[in-house]
Amino acid sequence: MVISRAGILVPGATGVLGTALALRLHEQGAAVAVAGRDHEGLARVSQACGGAPARTFDAYDLEQCARTVTWASRELGGLDGVVVCVGSAAFGPPELVSDAVAEHLLTVNALTPMAFLRAALPLIRPGGVIAAITGVVADSPPAGMADYSASKAALAMWLRAVRREQRASGVTVLEIRLPHVETGFAGRAVLGTPPVLPAGLPVAEAADAIVTALSVGAHLVKPGHDAALDVER
């Protein structure tokens, strides 16, 4: 995908990483549409992205998520990419995680991204990309994060299956499997206290890796050996 000619929707654009990604895409010439739940934050991101189209959504309203994709395609005159940056964390052993919290995690971390990307598949132009952030917990769940890890693993499995189905369509399916990033995300958990974590990846570095992955048609961003993040095609 040529970023400078692409129309890209970023749901979760009011989060720290979503904001950084939207700005980076705008700086590289993409036509960006931004979506989030925070009206004021969304207005700031829109303004920083040259007055980008902006729309609020409720992550629990999956039909509204799908309609946001249709809206973005109309506003941008077509859609080349959707990168979902929505997520929520919780910490604690499963016996202390209520069913309501478990449902929240599965909705926000799995069903919401799926709703956006499912709606995008018929609209994305050939050569385009659908993408979402999972995390290293999807493959290596730590103690005290069973429900959070399960929600991310559900999304990861969905992305991998859809990738197989889309091989002949010309649409790339990108999984962004990030390690801990310095977004303050863990400190906003809906339950529990995060474990002591080492210094995380700078937000700018994560955003750069995502933009690179989008531009080269990669299928995976993951922790690297020689670099903080590897981009795999």
Side-chain angles (χ1 to χ4, degrees), residues 5-220:
R5 296 202 298 265
I8 303 174
L9 168 64
V10 183
T14 55
V16 175
L17 181 54
T19 296
L21 177 61
L23 290 171
R24 195 61 49 88
L25 291 168
H26 170 69
E27 290 165 359
Q28 295 202 11
V32 178
V34 294
R37 65 176 182 174
D38 177 356
H39 289 267
E40 293 182 0
L42 201 56
R44 289 193 295 271
V45 176
S46 171
Q47 183 177 16
C49 291
R55 180 181 171 109
T56 57
F57 70 91
D58 179 350
Y60 274 81
D61 188 338
L62 302 182
E63 291 184 2
Q64 186 185 51
C65 295
R67 290 195 299 271
T68 299
V69 178
T70 305
W71 160 84
S73 182
R74 184 173 61 248
E75 290 288 325
L76 298 174
L79 203 57
D80 298 288
V82 177
V83 186
V84 184
C85 299
V86 175
S88 184
F91 304 96
E95 65 270 21
L96 297 183
V97 176
S98 69
D99 290 337
V101 169
E103 181 181 27
H104 170 82
L105 293 173
L106 283 168
T107 300
V108 175
N109 294 337
L111 297 180
T112 297
M114 291 176 193
F116 275 108
L117 300 183
R118 195 190 320 275
L121 282 170
L123 301 177
I124 293 284
R125 288 185 281 231
V129 181
I130 63 169
I133 297 170
T134 59
V136 294
V137 297
D139 287 325
S140 182
M145 298 174 66
D147 288 271
Y148 173 65
S149 300
S151 67
K152 288 295 190 178
L155 177 59
M157 292 301 104
W158 188 87
L159 290 169
R160 294 169 203 178
V162 173
R163 182 181 303 120
R164 294 189 183 98
E165 297 169 2
Q166 293 297 314
R167 282 175 179 165
S169 72
V171 174
T172 297
V173 180
L174 171 63
E175 179 187 352
I176 305 164
R177 195 186 305 162
L178 295 179
H180 172 51
V181 180
E182 289 293 347
T183 62
F185 175 73
R188 297 187 294 274
V190 296
L191 176 73
T193 302
V196 177
L197 298 168
L201 192 70
V203 172
E205 197 167 337
D208 284 342
I210 296 169
V211 172
T212 297
L214 294 171
S215 65
V216 302
H219 71 270
L220 179 63

